Amino acid sequence: MTVTSIEKLTREAAAAELADLQARIEAANSAYHTLDAPDISDADYDALKRRLASIEAHFPDLKSTDSPSDKVGGAVADGFGKISHEQRMMSLGNAFEDEDVTDFVRGIRKYLNLTDSAPLVFTAEPKIDGLSLSLRYEDGVLVYAATRGDGEVGENVTANARTIADIPQALENAPKILEVRGEVYMSHADFAALNAQQDARGDKRFANPRNAAAGSLRQLDAKITAARPLRFFAYSWGVLSEPLGETQAASIARLAELGFQTNPLTQTCDSSEEMLAHYHRIEEQRASLGYDIDGVVYKVDDLGYQHRLGFRSTTPRWAIAHKFPAELAWTRLEKIEIQVGRTGALSPVARLTPVTVGGVVVSNATLHNEDYISGRDSRGEVIREGKDIREGDWVQVYRAGDVIPKINDVDLTKRPDTARPFAFPEHCPECGSDAIREEGDAVRRCSGGMICPAQATEKLRHFVSRAAFDIEGLGARQVEAFYKDGWVREPVDIFLLEQRYGAGGLQQLRKREGWGDKSAENLFAAIREKRRIPLAKLIFALGIRHVGEAGASLLANHYQSWVAFEQAMTGALIGEGAEWLDLLTIDGVGETFATSLVSAFHQEAERASIDRLVALLDVVDAEARATDSPVAGLTVVFTGTLEKMTRAEAKARAESLGAKVAGSVSKKTDILIAGPGAGSKATKAADLGIKVLDEDGWLKLLEGA
Ligand code: IVH
């Protein structure tokens, strides 16, 4: 290759060379990924990228908008481009028992303030066991297809989606902007044929149709996807420039008219009895449908009601998935092992002789805690008729959906004579520290904190997990390896990797198994990219006990910025004071959650580790609440009886308009909305000179918002 020095390069020659370089880099990326067979050396690849970057630096206006230099290592690190969902892709809450369904319906009536006799219609349809996909059409043309990802950002799988026959490329008479959501799946027959083909080629079989569908959709080479028979059912939508209908059923009918496959077993029901009857009808047909379903989804039919009901942090209030009962199988429990989790919990795990349960091979099951093994639940009540679980036992395993398999029963007639009651360890099997069980806690915990390698690695694994920092190229396996070598002991070390091991360290990193120049450089770029992190993700990533994704997002919405959050946590005292009370005003935050959170910020080592980390980050404040509403930023309190809507709805509405809803009146309260029967809160508000409105006055204030 003759290389012209940049200074001598004409504009035309530069443009041509850039196009050539870009094509070669993309070809190399694709060879590296899809064929798992890089066709050029790391050094040559790096040279191409350097040349590209230097030409771009000299001719900035020639730089292409999709230049490989803007991608984290191009397709190599990334695989697929990312797409932010304009409207979040939600998941569904679960119901397991009939009673959960009647509770769901009752809760909705209560929220909407409907009497038992007021009409309330639901749709009921199969829950397809595949993977969800969002299709965006603009002016009737498919512009992209994105996977769910973490609900906010998914992967761009447009080229692959275009190969699916059920997905129209163009629509007639469609809204200007239309996002269709649904499930990609594979039929049983196609799955069997695919596995037969895998066998014939000596390739690995897929465990079930869902894995096969996911593996097929996430191929970097669309030709492979095209050869895999995927299907698509439409059941929902995202952004729309105009409504599809007034009801769920009418909207789905419109999608069918537009050319989408919709599920023929969808039906409207006007009572929980009808919903349950349809659930059982679908359950009876399950085995003969020809594709996997794992339950029935109920949705409120009236879209006006759906709108009023709105969403919790990750699930709609207006829909629920009623799962089919778990599947069962018997097998031998070979060994009980203890795993130490991120919060130090000693979790017993059953290692089983592998057995197929509902199409999936199961070889591990959770045993919860020592009481569970000995035949008692967390309240000390007898379970499994008091039968304990021992190594060597013949046990019944059950699994429901994605839930970790559990042990349901023990067959004592098959218990070997040699089986002994399981002695639960009183020391951490990983670091030897005392494993302590506090009163009232079912779980025994290692007291070693971050000196315990198991806790430290689990914390790191959680930190890099998908819902947390999600660093491309730094998964659980890599972070564990870094921990073992002492490169990463706590989260902040990840962000110091480049400084400590970059440049000269790059060679060190390269020497490690599985790392080349390219992947090392990609890793550093991916880490750099994640220095900027949304507040909710950061809070979740800290791995504080009880603080899950939903809790983290409640906290982020309440405190808005890291500074405000940290100040409140540091200032809070457990059980007293303004910060503590303010924390508890958050709907969904209880005492256990609050105690765990505040104590984490009061543990010196933990606190210092958080500070070291945050100093290197650029934390993005929670999305500002609506600011153009008349109540944005105000703190309001509801008291007494509301007549036009329930308390829950009033609260959700106020919050969606940017107000903070508190449970008690204080100096910080801006407005008290007092219905009939208001008591001490109204008196207190009057004493403090706080504005008081009745329900009508409040609704008037919101008018037009
Ligand atoms: S509705 C806002 N309907 O189940 C509501 N979801 O467990 C969006 N799923 O992420 C979901 N069949 O991938 C809906 N008939 C159906 C479904 C369905 C399967 C999946 C979907 C969702 C997951 C939640």
Side-chain angles (χ1 to χ4, degrees):
M1 180 169 69
T2 49
V3 178
T4 318
S5 86
I6 302 255
E7 283 69 27
K8 293 196 187 135
L9 213 54
T10 62
R11 240 182 104 70
E12 287 69 21
E17 193 177 342
L18 276 181
D20 177 51
L21 285 166
Q22 179 157 350
R24 288 165 66 185
I25 292 168
E26 278 163 6
N29 286 345
S30 152
Y32 184 94
H33 262 291
T34 43
L35 313 170
D36 216 5
D39 54 358
I40 59 172
S41 71
D42 275 1
D44 286 348
Y45 179 91
D46 288 338
L48 291 178
K49 280 197 83 170
R50 271 195 305 274
R51 175 77 179 167
L52 180 88
S54 76
I55 302 182
E56 284 172 342
H58 278 79
F59 299 93
D61 58 318
L62 292 182
K63 184 173 167 185
S64 141
T65 47
D66 61 352
S67 163
S69 36
D70 286 340
K71 294 181 192 137
V72 182
V76 172
D78 232 347
F80 294 98
K82 302 276 192 248
I83 288 188
S84 284
H85 299 295
E86 199 177 323
Q87 194 170 310
R88 197 186 156 103
M89 284 184 84
M90 293 285 168
S91 50
L92 293 168
N94 289 327
F96 295 98
E97 310 291 337
D98 289 3
E99 206 187 327
D100 300 335
V101 177
T102 45
D103 284 351
F104 166 70
V105 174
R106 199 173 310 125
I108 287 182
R109 284 191 180 278
K110 190 159 171 237
Y111 190 99
L112 295 172
N113 211 7
L114 296 177
T115 60
D116 286 347
S117 57
L120 178 62
V121 178
F122 289 86
T123 58
E125 68 199 70
K127 181 171 187 298
I128 317 297
D129 198 5
L131 65 153
S132 46
L133 189 68
S134 185
L135 305 171
R136 184 164 170 120
Y137 293 84
E138 289 176 10
D139 296 313
V141 178
L142 177 65
V143 287
Y144 68 69
T147 62
R148 180 172 182 278
D150 64 1
E152 282 172 12
V153 179
E155 284 172 325
N156 182 346
V157 291
T158 314
N160 297 349
R162 288 190 199 283
T163 70
I164 301 178
D166 289 346
I167 296 180
Q169 302 277 329
L171 308 172
E172 272 175 35
N173 300 323
K176 203 169 163 47
I177 296 180
L178 166 65
E179 280 180 16
V180 177
R181 292 181 175 175
E183 204 83 352
V184 173
Y185 67 101
M186 192 179 280
S187 74
H188 290 158
D190 290 336
F191 168 69
L194 176 62
N195 263 351
Q197 200 181 69
Q198 296 290 102
D199 286 346
R201 291 183 181 155
D203 289 340
K204 215 172 151 222
R205 295 174 72 93
F206 291 99
N208 54 47
R210 177 160 47 102
N211 287 357
S216 303
L217 186 67
R218 296 187 70 260
Q219 285 293 332
L220 283 152
D221 181 354
K223 280 203 242 45
I224 300 182
T225 310
R228 303 269 175 88
L230 294 175
R231 294 160 195 254
F232 180 79
F233 271 130
Y235 52 62
S236 176
W237 56 89
V239 177
L240 295 175
S241 54
E242 62 187 80
L244 291 167
E246 286 184 5
T247 61
Q248 176 75 30
S251 307
I252 297 301
R254 176 85 199 283
L255 291 180
E257 267 169 38
L258 286 167
F260 290 94
Q261 299 299 319
T262 58
N263 198 290
L265 291 173
T266 309
Q267 190 177 301
T268 51
C269 307
D270 50 23
S271 65
S272 32
E273 291 74 26
E274 266 190 40
M275 291 154 76
L276 293 172
H278 194 53
Y279 170 87
H280 291 297
R281 269 194 297 275
I282 294 178
E283 192 180 22
E284 275 165 22
Q285 298 180 51
R286 184 180 186 187
S288 57
L289 287 177
Y291 52 87
D292 276 353
I293 63 173
D294 58 348
V296 171
V297 183
Y298 308 119
K299 299 170 185 169
V300 170
D301 193 40
D302 182 314
L303 298 187
Y305 284 163
Q306 280 194 9
H307 181 73
R308 279 177 61 191
L309 287 156
F311 298 90
R312 294 182 210 90
S313 55
T314 56
T315 57
R317 283 197 192 84
W318 44 265
I320 200 164
H322 187 181
K323 295 295 198 69
F324 290 133
E327 313 211 36
L328 304 168
W330 286 90
T331 189
R332 182 78 59 201
L333 189 166
E334 293 175 356
K335 199 166 174 22
I336 297 178
E337 284 180 4
I338 304 290
Q339 288 182 343
V340 184
R342 124 180 95 82
T343 58
L346 267 51
S347 309
V349 178
R351 303 289 178 211
L352 308 165
T353 306
V355 61
T356 307
V357 193
V360 172
V361 178
V362 170
S363 42
N364 302 311
T366 171
L367 291 169
H368 302 289
N369 54 52
E370 54 193 292
D371 288 348
Y372 185 83
I373 296 178
S374 65
R376 301 194 171 269
D377 70 9
S378 51
R379 278 165 289 154
E381 283 172 28
V382 170
I383 48 171
R384 295 186 304 270
E385 298 155 356
K387 289 181 254 182
D388 68 335
I389 296 175
R390 302 183 185 185
E391 291 179 336
D393 268 340
W394 187 247
V395 294
Q396 189 187 51
V397 185
Y398 79 88
R399 71 173 266 278
D402 284 339
V403 182
I404 308 169
K406 297 180 185 174
I407 304 268
N408 211 27
D409 201 3
V410 180
D411 185 346
L412 292 185
T413 65
K414 294 198 175 164
R415 174 169 282 175
D417 294 340
T418 48
R420 295 283 162 268
F422 182 69
F424 205 90
E426 293 182 354
H427 290 97
C428 173
E430 298 286 340
C431 70
S433 305
D434 289 343
I436 297 161
R437 183 171 170 185
E438 280 174 10
E439 226 185 283
D441 195 350
V443 174
R444 196 171 278 279
R445 284 174 209 283
C446 161
S447 56
M450 287 299 269
I451 64 146
C452 172
Q455 279 188 63
T457 39
E458 283 307 314
K459 239 186 152 92
L460 288 166
R461 286 166 70 125
H462 170 80
F463 188 83
V464 298
S465 66
R466 189 154 92 164
F469 270 72
D470 190 21
I471 297 170
E472 201 82 51
L474 191 65
R477 207 164 41 86
Q478 290 85 353
V479 93
E480 241 171 70
F482 280 135
Y483 178 85
K484 279 208 188 93
D485 292 356
W487 284 29
V488 171
R489 289 282 165 183
E490 54 171 314
V492 67
D493 294 331
I494 294 173
F495 294 93
L496 294 169
L497 268 178
E498 185 172 10
Q499 187 185 323
R500 289 182 184 154
Y501 302 100
L506 205 62
Q507 272 86 48
Q508 292 193 50
L509 188 57
R510 267 188 58 190
K511 275 191 235 126
R512 301 172 71 108
E513 209 185 322
W515 294 92
D517 273 2
K518 216 189 312 174
S519 49
E521 192 189 294
N522 289 339
L523 174 68
F524 292 151
I527 292 173
R528 250 181 273 130
E529 192 191 333
K530 289 294 163 77
R531 278 179 195 257
R532 204 173 144 72
I533 188 91
L535 179 59
K537 286 204 188 244
L538 169 62
I539 298 177
F540 172 67
L542 297 178
I544 297 167
R545 200 170 145 209
H546 299 301
V547 183
E549 241 186 305
S553 111
L554 290 175
L555 293 167
N557 289 337
H558 185 76
Y559 293 103
Q560 305 267 303
S561 71
W562 172 262
V563 175
F565 171 64
E566 194 201 21
Q567 258 175 14
M569 293 308 106
T570 327
L573 298 172
I574 292 172
E576 58 187 290
E579 283 87 0
W580 174 257
L581 292 176
D582 183 53
L583 179 57
L584 287 179
T585 61
I586 305 175
D587 194 17
V589 170
E591 299 237 351
T592 317
F593 177 106
T595 306
S596 162
L597 182 62
V598 173
S599 25
F601 275 82
H602 286 260
Q603 271 162 26
E604 229 168 89
E606 174 117 14
R607 196 31 232 281
S609 163
I610 295 175
D611 285 348
R612 281 193 290 274
L613 168 71
V614 176
L616 296 186
L617 300 177
D618 172 12
V619 185
V620 183
D621 289 354
E623 220 161 84
R625 293 157 190 274
T627 48
D628 51 357
S629 98
V631 296
L634 302 185
T635 300
V636 303
V637 175
F638 291 97
T639 185
T641 319
L642 299 180
E643 285 159 344
K644 304 263 162 64
M645 58 177 86
T646 59
R647 184 74 71 85
E649 186 175 358
K651 181 167 182 288
R653 172 111 197 263
E655 282 173 348
S656 74
L657 292 172
K660 262 193 204 176
V661 180
S664 53
V665 173
S666 72
K667 274 185 282 184
K668 285 199 205 152
T669 312
D670 295 296
I671 306 175
L672 177 77
I673 298 99
S680 62
K681 285 184 190 164
T683 327
K684 186 161 178 198
D687 287 350
L688 293 171
I690 288 163
K691 179 166 169 180
V692 180
L693 292 176
D694 63 8
E695 191 179 4
D696 284 336
W698 165 250
L699 291 175
K700 207 153 181 192
L701 180 63
L702 301 189
E703 253 167 40

